[in-house]
Amino acid sequence: MSKKLEMTRTRGFFDCAKISKVKIRKIIRYFAVDLQATQIAQLTGINRNTINRYFRLIRQVIAKNCEKESPFQGDIEVDESFFGARRVRGKRGRGALGKTIVFGVYKRNGKVYTEIVPDCTRATLHAVIRGKVNFESTIHSDKWRAYDGLVDLGYRRHYRVNHGANVFATKKTHINGIENFWGLAKVRLSKFRGMQKSTFYLHLKECEFRFNHRHENLYKLISKLITSEPIC
């Protein structure tokens, strides 16, 4: 890559800015420690709508980075979860209406990958697993019938825990890791009351990103990402 092109890419995010680099860096720093736009507006004197605009740009870069994660290998936990406050009476569990269905893949002691899915059918879940999990892996799941046939697809082992019988862990298997992530994500997302469905994906990916890089300096990492991924 030529130096000229490299400079163009490096400056891309800041070139589209209508405020100074110093103020943008402040927004990134406060974003990294998970302050809300209203709080940052009070600390910086920057208009809240301006801060929200940059939050969206940052989240777009984060989401793009999350989608690049390589296939996972090793002991892998898979599970689905349902997000959203609205529920139709009488409809629970995997049949709940008015909810957003999210499928998760978690490498034990490693990273998580999330994907919004239209349903919990075998075809849908198997497609995500094939795209994100190496065939040399051992998969851990619950007893949901959509996970039937994973060994036939070529995966090394598949262990299952029977949540329906109030069994949440055995000597061989559990899905405590991915369930821990679901809990953390729901607690974090609960503070965004009235979140529009169109923005849920970006907030979900932010939760994923924060979890995956929880032991890193998020300010430095996000700063590096936005200078290498110009989006405006």
Side-chain angles (χ1 to χ4, degrees):
M1 179 184 296
S2 69
K3 289 185 177 180
K4 183 176 181 181
L5 179 55
E6 186 175 1
M7 288 179 64
T8 300
R9 290 190 62 193
T10 301
R11 298 196 322 250
F13 186 92
F14 294 100
D15 282 347
C16 72
K18 295 183 180 180
I19 60 177
S20 70
K21 292 182 181 180
V22 173
K23 289 185 177 181
I24 292 178
R25 290 191 179 101
K26 284 184 178 180
I27 292 174
I28 297 170
R29 188 175 297 279
Y30 288 135
F31 177 90
V33 297
D34 209 13
L35 293 187
Q36 296 185 50
T38 301
Q39 295 172 300
I40 299 174
Q42 293 172 347
L43 290 169
T44 63
I46 302 171
N47 182 276
R48 184 171 59 87
N49 291 333
T50 299
I51 294 170
N52 278 325
R53 176 175 178 269
Y54 284 100
F55 271 19
R56 184 175 181 85
L57 293 175
I58 292 169
R59 287 180 177 124
Q60 287 173 346
V61 172
I62 284 174
K64 186 175 181 180
N65 177 261
C66 289
E67 296 294 354
K68 292 179 179 178
E69 288 292 345
S70 301
F72 295 1
Q73 182 172 342
D75 278 295
I76 307 298
E77 299 176 18
V78 297
D79 191 35
E80 336 86 60
S81 191
F82 297 79
F83 289 76
R86 185 168 62 87
R87 179 176 64 81
V88 176
R89 174 174 288 185
K91 296 292 185 178
R92 297 180 179 273
R94 290 180 171 94
L97 298 179
K99 298 278 188 176
T100 299
I101 309 171
V102 180
F103 182 61
V105 176
Y106 171 67
K107 176 178 170 56
R108 286 186 178 169
N109 301 314
K111 294 183 176 182
V112 67
Y113 170 79
T114 61
E115 185 168 324
I116 298 172
V117 293
D119 52 54
C120 297
T121 63
R122 183 187 302 190
T124 296
L125 302 190
H126 279 202
V128 180
I129 292 171
R130 287 199 307 270
K132 285 296 176 180
V133 182
N134 188 285
F135 282 110
E136 294 300 311
S137 301
T138 296
I139 296 179
H140 303 263
S141 74
D142 61 20
K143 286 281 191 176
W144 175 234
R145 60 181 178 271
Y147 297 121
D148 294 348
L150 288 174
V151 173
D152 294 336
L153 282 179
Y155 288 98
R156 178 175 289 180
R157 297 181 186 88
H158 180 200
Y159 296 125
R160 310 177 80 158
V161 62
N162 189 2
H163 286 175
N166 291 321
V167 177
F168 295 93
T170 68
K171 291 182 179 180
K172 285 187 177 182
T173 193
H174 64 79
I175 54 173
N176 295 343
I178 185 65
E179 290 184 333
N180 177 58
F181 170 75
W182 294 140
L184 293 172
K186 288 181 178 181
V187 168
R188 185 176 183 281
L189 292 175
S190 66
K191 70 182 183 181
F192 299 101
R193 297 180 180 179
M195 182 192 303
Q196 295 181 0
K197 200 166 185 177
S198 60
T199 64
F200 174 76
Y201 167 77
L202 294 179
H203 284 283
L204 175 68
K205 286 299 178 180
E206 182 187 347
C207 290
E208 177 184 322
F209 179 84
R210 288 182 182 277
F211 180 86
N212 288 346
H213 301 282
R214 56 198 177 278
H215 302 305
E216 300 178 49
N217 185 319
L218 290 184
Y219 170 70
K220 290 183 178 179
L221 181 57
I222 294 169
S223 296
K224 181 179 179 181
L225 286 177
I226 68 170
T227 55
S228 62
E229 291 282 355
I231 55 176
C232 50

